[in-house]
Amino acid sequence: MTDRPELQKAIQEIVDSGFTGVQLRVHDERGEWAGSAGVRELGESAEPPVDGHCRIGSNTKTFIATLVLQLVAEGRIGLDTPADDYLPEFGLDRRITVRMVLQHTSGVFNFTGEFYDDGTFAPGIPVSGKEWVDNRFKTYRPEELVRLALSKPARFEPGTDWSYSNTNYVLAKLLIEKVAGCPLADEVQRRILGPLGLSGTVAPYTQQEVPAPHAHAYYRYEEDGRQKTVDVTRQNPSWISGGGDMISTTQDLHTFISALLGGKLLPAPLLAEMCTPHPKAGYGLGVFVQNTDDGGTIITHNGGITGHAALMYSTPDGSKTLTAALNYVDDAAMSLAEPFQKATQRLVKEVFGGSRTEQAASTD
């Protein structure tokens, strides 16, 4: 493995900015580099494992979009067919197509809560504070999350705007299960994890454990006027469902994104559709498309889920990748969102020459 002191320095700076630990893996023209910094557990001295398991949050959406597009390639789903044709039980607006679900242009309310442009917030299920901590082992059925979202006003008319909504990817999960006739975990194993040898990746439903080895995730909240910090590594991820429940490693995320963009999982026309961005946010079908400072392009999806975060970046041909797992002490104010942004920009610049558009770190 090549010696990359500048990468080790970059991840140490992330730890110094407030994160508990970082695992980073880079594949580029200089070869492969993997390293870690910080601690795997508060109060301990052991560093995070270089390739530990991590809750990957919204990187899950890229896996789900890939499965939907594979079913499109087989003629079993129509990209511009109303989603209601496949999921009639919800009474979805007939104008919402499968494409709109994957691209976040459906307008469907986000069941984890909606932030509006005027600064107001419409809550969904509990996703922060003591209420989330107390509910973190509860089982939510995906249908329940969708019905909650559909009981709220749509954010906009289908296809007229863009807004990130976890509900879209719970719908996509249910769509896959309906068409394939089996649980999502079985389909992702058969179509992606098995063929690519992704032995460190899990699509859980209600399982609470993160497989060993792993770093720990934490959440800080207030109770009776006092700050409490709890270990939330164990939790029931059904609260986020297809919006972000998967577990993976930096090695598996590298293998997945490089295979996807290298054309091993989708036919070229559908891969091109996946990587065609909506003008408002640069979101394709399950991926963000960003420009670098030197005129290049990178394909990415990041994820954050209560004390864990995952980064996944690649050149459009899959030849150069950056994957990372971060663990930290999360809180309702998302006080590490700004350091996360800066850390991500620093890493991307180091590996790809910088990026002009950034994603926020959020519980999604």
Side-chain angles (χ1 to χ4, degrees):
M1 187 150 36
T2 51
D3 188 31
R4 303 284 289 270
E6 76 284 0
L7 295 177
Q8 188 66 48
K9 181 170 182 272
I11 58 175
Q12 184 58 49
E13 285 176 5
I14 295 172
V15 171
D16 295 343
S17 75
F19 286 81
T20 316
V22 184
Q23 305 163 54
L24 174 67
R25 182 174 299 274
V26 171
H27 285 252
D28 62 12
E29 61 281 354
R30 292 172 59 183
E32 177 193 38
W33 184 88
S36 69
V39 295
R40 73 171 68 191
E41 201 169 348
L42 284 178
E44 304 287 331
S45 59
E47 287 193 354
V50 170
D51 200 35
H53 296 85
C54 173
R55 296 190 186 276
I56 63 170
S58 285
N59 288 19
T60 301
K61 294 180 171 76
T62 311
F63 285 86
I64 286 184
T66 301
L67 288 178
V68 172
L69 291 172
Q70 287 183 338
L71 290 163
V72 170
E74 292 166 11
R76 298 169 69 188
I77 291 176
L79 204 45
D80 295 305
T81 301
D84 181 61
D85 282 6
Y86 306 101
L87 298 168
E89 63 270 31
F90 295 115
L92 291 166
D93 187 319
R94 293 279 302 163
R95 294 172 293 173
I96 297 173
T97 63
V98 174
R99 183 191 300 275
M100 290 176 198
V101 168
L102 295 183
Q103 193 157 38
H104 296 300
T105 54
S106 69
V108 172
F109 182 89
N110 184 5
F111 67 83
T112 51
E114 282 283 10
F115 290 91
Y116 291 96
D117 295 340
D118 61 4
T120 56
F121 175 70
I125 63 165
V127 293
S128 66
K130 182 177 186 297
E131 195 178 2
W132 179 80
V133 172
D134 291 346
N135 275 284
R136 73 186 185 278
F137 299 117
K138 176 179 174 177
T139 293
Y140 291 90
R141 293 180 65 247
E143 295 83 359
E144 184 186 348
L145 300 174
V146 170
R147 291 191 192 285
L148 169 76
L150 295 176
S151 73
K152 310 278 189 179
R155 184 153 184 155
F156 48 78
E157 299 280 308
T160 63
D161 202 349
W162 183 91
S163 183
Y164 194 93
S165 172
N166 289 304
T167 310
N168 287 313
Y169 276 77
V170 180
L171 284 167
K173 169 192 164 110
L174 292 169
L175 180 64
I176 292 163
E177 293 185 335
K178 180 69 71 77
V179 173
C182 66
L184 177 80
D186 294 356
E187 200 66 356
V188 78
Q189 179 65 43
R190 186 172 75 81
R191 291 176 172 271
I192 299 175
L193 309 188
L196 296 181
L198 305 185
S199 58
T201 302
V202 185
Y205 176 46
T206 59
Q207 303 97 304
Q208 298 173 5
E209 307 295 333
V210 176
H214 62 260
H216 287 248
Y218 299 92
Y219 192 78
R220 183 172 57 233
Y221 66 102
E222 196 171 287
E223 186 175 17
D224 302 326
R226 289 202 312 277
Q227 292 278 318
K228 293 184 77 169
T229 297
V230 291
D231 187 322
V232 294
T233 313
R234 283 182 67 244
Q235 56 170 279
N236 180 335
S238 63
W239 69 272
I240 191 65
S241 186
D245 62 1
M246 286 177 71
I247 293 165
S248 192
T249 65
T250 61
Q251 177 64 65
D252 277 9
L253 289 177
H254 154 73
T255 304
F256 167 64
I257 195 68
S258 59
L260 173 62
L261 296 174
K264 293 179 182 165
L265 295 174
L266 293 174
L270 284 173
L271 181 59
E273 295 232 35
M274 184 183 219
C275 298
T276 300
H278 184 277
K280 181 166 182 178
Y283 200 87
L285 307 178
V287 291
F288 283 91
V289 183
Q290 298 182 354
N291 298 318
T292 58
D293 291 338
D294 58 5
T297 300
I298 45 179
I299 309 297
T300 175
H301 214 304
N302 294 338
I305 176 167
T306 42
H308 273 143
L311 310 182
M312 182 172 67
Y313 287 86
S314 178
T315 48
D317 63 355
S319 65
K320 180 190 287 193
T321 68
L322 180 165
T323 53
L326 293 81
N327 52 305
Y328 54 102
V329 181
D330 206 350
D331 60 25
M334 282 172 41
S335 53
L336 280 177
E338 195 176 327
F340 179 90
Q341 287 261 23
K342 288 182 175 158
T344 304
Q345 288 172 23
R346 165 79 197 275
L347 287 174
V348 169
K349 193 159 188 129
E350 196 72 64
V351 177
F352 298 97
S355 172
R356 288 197 294 269
T357 55
E358 301 304 329
Q359 299 170 54
S362 58
T363 301
D364 57 32

